[in-house]
Amino acid sequence: YYAGKSIVALNAPTLSIANNKKTIRVTWSKIENADGYYVYRAENNKWVRIATIKNNKTFKYEDKNVEPGVTYKYTVKAYDGKLNGAYLSKGISIMRLEMPHSFSAQRINSGMQINFAAVSYAQKYRVYRKATTDTTWTFLGYTETTSFIDTTGVSGVKYIYTVRAVNGKSYSYYYKNP
């Protein structure tokens, strides 16, 4: 009899994508027995390989070739030698959004007014706050303008504010430590 050759099936990685400061970051789960990963981006309804990761220790890729207002779709395949693993054939999509900037804050009678520059392609903005002694951000609400009034602050507490641009299910990066 012929002993044959063993083949290890490689599952499809779990994907996540997010806008970063100037890129779109694609991350994925580790697939056991993989030698590396191929990163694909959809172009004209076809998957085009944009990166080859030649190890099983790197699980992210920064796509620097992106433009604001454009929606990009990604998928990742694990590989073992010449064999490709399964992949998410539909991929996952995100619109490239720049992050809000030019922040200002001023005290007004009803609380703190936060102002920032408009972001192209943003439909609305998510506003966050944290006390200078906190490590996590608190979501305050949405605004469709470039201004937001926080009426929930506690007198005597020093706060830091940040904002994310939103278009559909796509969110911009935000200043984590402004």
Side-chain angles (χ1 to χ4, degrees):
Y1 67 91
Y2 177 67
K5 187 175 182 180
S6 65
I7 297 175
V8 176
L10 300 173
N11 294 325
T14 301
L15 301 177
S16 177
I17 55 177
N19 277 298
N20 210 350
K21 291 180 183 177
K22 296 186 184 274
T23 65
I24 293 177
R25 177 179 283 174
V26 181
T27 57
W28 57 91
S29 59
K30 179 178 182 174
I31 301 299
E32 292 300 323
N33 300 311
D35 290 336
Y37 301 89
Y38 298 129
V39 180
Y40 294 86
R41 187 169 79 183
E43 295 178 11
N44 298 320
N45 295 320
K46 293 183 182 179
W47 289 115
V48 175
R49 187 184 317 169
I50 59 172
T52 300
I53 309 300
K54 296 182 177 182
N55 65 62
N56 200 5
K57 296 178 182 175
T58 302
F59 311 106
K60 69 179 178 181
Y61 174 75
E62 301 282 342
D63 189 356
K64 298 176 184 173
N65 189 20
V66 292
E67 296 293 326
V70 177
T71 299
Y72 296 94
K73 187 187 306 186
Y74 299 90
T75 195
V76 175
K77 287 183 189 178
Y79 69 85
D80 177 15
K82 294 183 180 182
L83 299 173
N84 289 337
Y87 67 101
L88 181 62
S89 61
K90 291 182 179 181
I92 55 175
S93 301
I94 191 168
M95 176 186 281
R96 175 67 186 140
L97 291 170
E98 299 292 326
M99 62 183 157
H101 57 88
S102 300
F103 289 96
S104 68
Q106 66 183 34
R107 178 166 295 292
I108 59 173
N109 289 339
S110 58
M112 288 294 290
Q113 181 171 340
I114 301 9
N115 298 303
F116 49 92
V119 173
S120 296
Y121 310 103
Q123 295 172 328
K124 58 186 172 182
Y125 303 92
R126 286 178 61 109
V127 180
Y128 301 84
R129 171 189 80 198
K130 72 176 179 177
T132 56
T133 57
D134 290 343
T135 57
T136 58
W137 292 97
T138 300
F139 170 64
L140 295 177
Y142 288 100
T143 180
E144 293 180 1
T145 67
T146 57
S147 182
F148 183 86
I149 297 175
D150 177 12
T151 60
T152 63
V154 175
S155 181
V157 176
K158 186 174 180 181
Y159 294 108
I160 301 170
Y161 294 89
T162 194
V163 179
R164 293 178 92 171
V166 180
N167 185 309
K169 293 183 179 180
S170 297
Y171 296 86
S172 72
Y173 189 76
Y174 61 100
Y175 290 102
K176 292 182 178 177
N177 294 307

